[in-house]
Amino acid sequence: MAATLGGKLELEDEGSFFVNGQSFRSEYPGASLATGPAPAGNIMVNQMYVHFRIPAAKKGVAVVMVHGSQHTGMTYETTPDGREGWATWFVRQGHPVYVVDHSGRGRSGFNPTPVNAVRDGGADPKSLPTFFLGPIDRAWSNFRFGPAYPTPFPNQQFPLEALDQYLSQLVPNSETTLAGGGANTVNALAVLLDRIGPAVVMVHSQSGIYGLDVVRKRPGLVRALVSVEGGCETLTQDDASKYFLKVPFVSVWGDNSAGAKSVNGDKRRNGCVQAVNLIKGGGGQATFLLLPEMGVMGNSHMMMMDRNNLQVAGLIRKWVGENVR
């Protein structure tokens, strides 16, 4: 494990809060072994947890970091092998950083009602939501650790020696218990921007589509959209000319992402190439940042955890400096 995360970190402020929570009457809030079934009552749902760090000497634009499927905000924190993650590194560069957990996931909590209703006989078992958590042999190729489990790519940058630490941070996609699912995260991100003001929004994987939706909702508050191997397929020409005219966009991709037999292979990557072209064609600023073309090799889908994660972060920050007014 690393002896330090990068040295002394000087902050003006640090803390956490929730946005977008709504009161919901649950007929099936659950039961306790000690007291039995709980009576119906109001609980909070749809809330999104936000952890913020404000540097002592603010120099740059705020950055909101949004994780992908099966993950939480831990994605951007300490790497599995104990090195510094992007959250604190960007703070060291002078950026206020806000790291979130998707609504219905991790520290944001989920709605137990659909599960309890089945248990207590108030709903059909077929109505149970699916709590997806991919097994390692599936994740191995999807996240491009190697061509097939357990063989790694020869130049792999992911710290596979700390694989157990990485797998321990994964959680089920429990937002499936919320009406609207991932749309709640989009709504919460819009409310977060209303609260903190303009910011760069960084999305990863599953949340790539969420980032596009946030730009549609708050184009005046998204200073730029940084998509780290996120989906782009829902972006249209109308979006490009209407919402992205003044919102710079970058799609970042690593090694082995072309031709990969995975959810982030050719289809998703090619969709992002098309999105970049649509935005540029509509008069906006857009970049397809392919790391191997920049001399940065061996990255996995989880590049914010790879051994060269800070090199990748440096390229993203350089792009932000050149493209965000």
Side-chain angles (χ1 to χ4, degrees):
M1 301 291 284
T4 175
L5 297 184
K8 185 178 180 180
L9 184 64
E10 295 186 354
L11 300 177
E12 175 185 291
D13 200 4
E14 179 181 23
S16 59
F17 57 86
F18 293 87
V19 293
N20 204 48
Q22 286 109 37
S23 181
F24 170 80
R25 182 171 177 80
S26 174
E27 299 297 325
Y28 301 94
S32 165
L33 291 176
T35 60
N42 288 348
I43 61 175
M44 292 296 289
V45 299
N46 300 340
Q47 69 272 20
M48 184 177 74
Y49 173 85
V50 183
H51 181 196
F52 67 90
R53 294 181 180 92
I54 310 299
K58 293 189 286 291
K59 301 175 184 176
V61 62
V63 181
V64 176
M65 298 184 175
V66 191
H67 61 83
S69 176
Q70 306 167 68
H71 291 75
T72 68
M74 181 64 182
T75 291
Y76 297 104
E77 297 176 357
T78 310
T79 67
D81 57 336
R83 292 171 293 106
E84 182 162 43
W86 287 2
T88 51
W89 185 86
F90 272 87
V91 172
R92 291 185 196 282
Q93 315 314 309
H95 299 274
V97 172
Y98 299 79
V99 178
V100 309
D101 283 4
H102 286 190
S103 296
R105 186 101 58 86
R107 290 165 291 188
S108 298
F110 66 94
N111 181 7
T113 306
V115 177
N116 293 336
V118 171
R119 177 193 178 278
D120 294 339
D124 188 328
K126 293 180 180 179
S127 69
L128 275 172
T130 296
F131 294 97
F132 174 68
L133 183 59
I136 179 56
D137 47 350
R138 181 182 188 274
W140 192 271
S141 58
N142 280 345
F143 296 169
R144 301 199 314 285
F145 299 154
Y149 181 77
T151 304
F153 287 118
N155 63 348
Q156 180 56 257
Q157 291 278 7
F158 189 85
L160 292 172
E161 70 279 6
L163 189 61
D164 283 354
Q165 280 289 316
Y166 170 65
L167 296 175
S168 295
Q169 72 174 259
L170 302 182
V171 299
N173 288 353
S174 50
E175 68 273 18
T176 53
T177 66
L178 302 178
N184 294 290
T185 296
V186 174
N187 294 334
L189 288 168
V191 173
L192 175 61
L193 292 174
D194 290 339
R195 174 167 173 167
I196 68 174
V200 170
V201 176
M202 178 185 292
V203 291
H204 175 238
S205 196
Q206 178 194 29
S207 63
I209 299 300
Y210 299 171
L212 301 179
D213 284 338
V214 172
V215 173
R216 295 179 183 112
K217 282 182 172 290
R218 297 292 189 275
L221 292 177
V222 180
R223 296 288 299 276
L225 180 61
V226 177
S227 183
V228 181
E229 297 200 355
C232 309
E233 57 270 19
T234 65
L235 189 136
T236 66
Q237 183 63 70
D238 185 60
D239 292 331
S241 57
K242 186 175 181 180
Y243 300 112
F244 281 85
L245 187 61
K246 295 183 179 180
V247 179
F249 173 73
V250 61
S251 181
V252 185
W253 290 82
D255 271 8
N256 306 304
S257 54
K261 295 180 179 179
S262 68
V263 294
N264 45 52
D266 277 347
K267 184 177 180 181
R268 178 179 285 182
R269 181 174 134 164
N270 291 343
C272 290
V273 171
Q274 181 180 3
V276 165
N277 290 335
L278 285 175
I279 293 171
K280 291 167 68 175
Q285 297 170 262
T287 304
F288 186 81
L289 182 59
L290 187 59
L291 297 179
E293 292 183 352
M294 305 296 292
V296 180
M297 313 298 290
N299 286 102
S300 72
H301 185 54
M302 305 306 302
M303 61 184 69
M304 64 289 296
M305 302 177 187
D306 288 343
R307 292 188 182 89
N308 62 353
N309 67 330
L310 300 187
Q311 186 180 14
V312 177
L315 290 175
I316 292 174
R317 184 169 185 262
K318 181 175 183 291
W319 179 89
V320 169
E322 293 172 347
N323 290 276
V324 177
R325 291 187 290 271

